[in-house]
Amino acid sequence: MSSIFGKSLSFPPRVGADGRMAWSEGETNIRESIAIILKTEAGERLMLPDFGAGLGRFLFEPNNAATHVRLADVIQNALRRWEPRISLLSVEVGPDPDDDSAAIAAIAYRLVATGAAEQTRVAIPLGSA
């Protein structure tokens, strides 16, 4: 049943126990796709120059509420544009309690194919508070 979500090389790329490239499928593939979208900068993909969220531009921004609101907006727009297998429920960005120079994005979504609710968290490097 996981084939309804797709299948692709795992992210990050790695070699499996059988010595071949590892593949991901199902819900794992969607979580990895979200990470790829958020970690890709505009212009990195030759054939898709607009692909990605471009979160690198926030690297030296202050880790405060204003930056968190802007990050949430960029994340929502990128995921709505580039990941059609999910229906975005919420994106909440706040400071990382373990790292003053990072924020955490909590992303809640529903799988379009099954309606199942899922969530993932992504660390985003920033400047200090």
Side-chain angles (χ1 to χ4, degrees):
M1 175 134 167
S2 62
S3 64
I4 62 174
F5 300 116
K7 180 177 178 179
S8 64
L9 286 174
S10 63
F11 181 79
R14 58 190 172 274
V15 176
D18 61 358
R20 296 178 180 196
M21 293 300 295
W23 288 81
S24 85
E25 56 187 304
E27 294 88 345
T28 300
N29 183 260
I30 292 174
R31 278 190 299 278
E32 290 177 358
S33 175
I34 289 170
I36 289 168
I37 292 166
L38 298 182
K39 293 178 179 184
T40 301
E41 297 297 317
E44 282 186 13
R45 295 216 172 167
L46 185 60
M47 300 305 284
L48 284 173
D50 295 333
F51 181 82
L55 298 182
R57 66 178 174 246
F58 291 93
L59 183 59
F60 297 108
E61 294 292 322
N63 194 357
N64 60 27
T67 301
H68 299 163
V69 169
R70 290 175 37 229
L71 276 165
D73 186 55
V74 167
I75 290 168
Q76 287 174 15
N77 290 336
L79 292 179
R80 284 190 174 120
R81 180 173 184 191
W82 296 110
E83 186 45 82
R85 299 175 293 175
I86 67 171
S87 174
L88 203 53
L89 300 174
S90 68
V91 176
E92 296 178 14
V93 180
D96 184 336
D98 300 324
D99 184 354
D100 288 342
S101 63
I104 298 288
I107 302 162
Y109 57 94
R110 215 170 267 296
L111 300 173
V112 171
T114 64
E118 298 280 334
Q119 60 183 356
T120 190
R121 294 167 57 90
V122 177
I124 303 162
L126 301 171
S128 58

